[in-house]
């Protein structure tokens, strides 16, 4: 339910991106995390996936067991993707990779805050991206017998 709620909140915040499809896959895994912080993390990742996607693109959200003690939450878009030098700059405060010159909303603080929140929940965040492939953000969090994912 938390991941579905994050999708609803992201959609409400960015109604101009309604043409981008969002699919939830295998989201029944549970994590040990603060529900409010986790919601902030996922909303930020989904809004980024919407904002930096291609017209008519898709966002896929999925969970998987990373190992016996962690769960991975993946948010993947079908946008233009990023080069390795761009990826290296992403977690710097106020870095928008040139998006500040366009109409894409944002401040360049979302991923910085997202990483901080993930870290405070004993988690980590990583990004995979390539031009023409899109971007996948992954948050790894401690697994729980029952939880909030």
């Amino acid at each position: 339910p938390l991941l579905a709620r994050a999708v609803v909140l992201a959609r409400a915040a960015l109604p101009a991106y309604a043409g981008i499809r969002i699919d939830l896959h295998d989201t029944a895994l549970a994590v040990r995390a603060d529900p409010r912080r986790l919601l902030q993390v996922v909303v930020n990742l989904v809004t980024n996936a919407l904002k930096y996607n291609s017209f008519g693109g898709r966002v896929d959200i999925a969970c998987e067991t990373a190992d016996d003690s962690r769960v991975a939450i993946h948010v993947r878009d079908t946008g233009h993707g990023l080069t390795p030098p761009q990826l290296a700059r992403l977690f710097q405060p106020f870095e928008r990779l040139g998006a500040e010159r366009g109409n894409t909303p944002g401040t360049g603080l979302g991923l910085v805050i997202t990483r901080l929140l993930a870290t405070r929940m004993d988690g980590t965040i990583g990004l995979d991206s390539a031009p023409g492939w899109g971007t996948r953000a992954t948050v790894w969090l401690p697994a729980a017998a029952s939880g909030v994912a």
Side-chain angles (χ1 to χ4, degrees):
L2 186 138
L3 297 180
R5 187 167 161 224
V7 169
V8 169
L9 291 171
R11 283 266 191 226
L14 297 170
Y17 297 87
I20 296 172
R21 191 174 90 208
I22 300 176
D23 292 324
L24 292 166
H25 310 275
D26 302 321
T27 59
L29 297 175
V31 298
R32 191 177 71 241
D34 178 288
R36 185 174 179 176
R37 286 181 178 166
L38 180 57
L39 184 63
Q40 288 176 279
V41 165
V42 177
V43 167
N44 180 264
L45 296 179
V46 174
T47 57
N48 280 354
L50 289 170
K51 292 187 297 188
Y52 300 106
N53 213 319
S54 300
F55 179 77
R58 189 179 76 248
V59 174
D60 290 301
I61 303 168
C63 297
E64 68 176 331
T65 303
D67 56 41
D68 287 342
S69 63
R70 297 186 313 155
V71 169
I73 301 171
H74 304 287
V75 178
R76 182 178 183 273
D77 67 54
T78 57
H80 300 291
L82 301 168
T83 64
Q86 289 174 312
L87 277 172
R89 297 179 6 225
L90 267 185
F91 288 100
Q92 296 177 22
F94 305 107
E95 179 59 69
R96 298 208 47 226
L97 303 176
E100 67 277 5
R101 293 187 293 274
N103 295 326
T104 304
T107 61
L109 291 174
L111 284 176
V112 174
I113 294 167
T114 296
R115 181 170 64 179
L116 176 66
L117 291 173
T119 301
R120 288 192 175 172
M121 294 184 290
D122 295 323
T124 58
I125 184 170
L127 295 169
D128 298 309
S129 189
W133 179 78
T135 301
R136 181 180 66 179
T138 301
V139 177
W140 293 273
L141 293 165
S146 63
V148 297

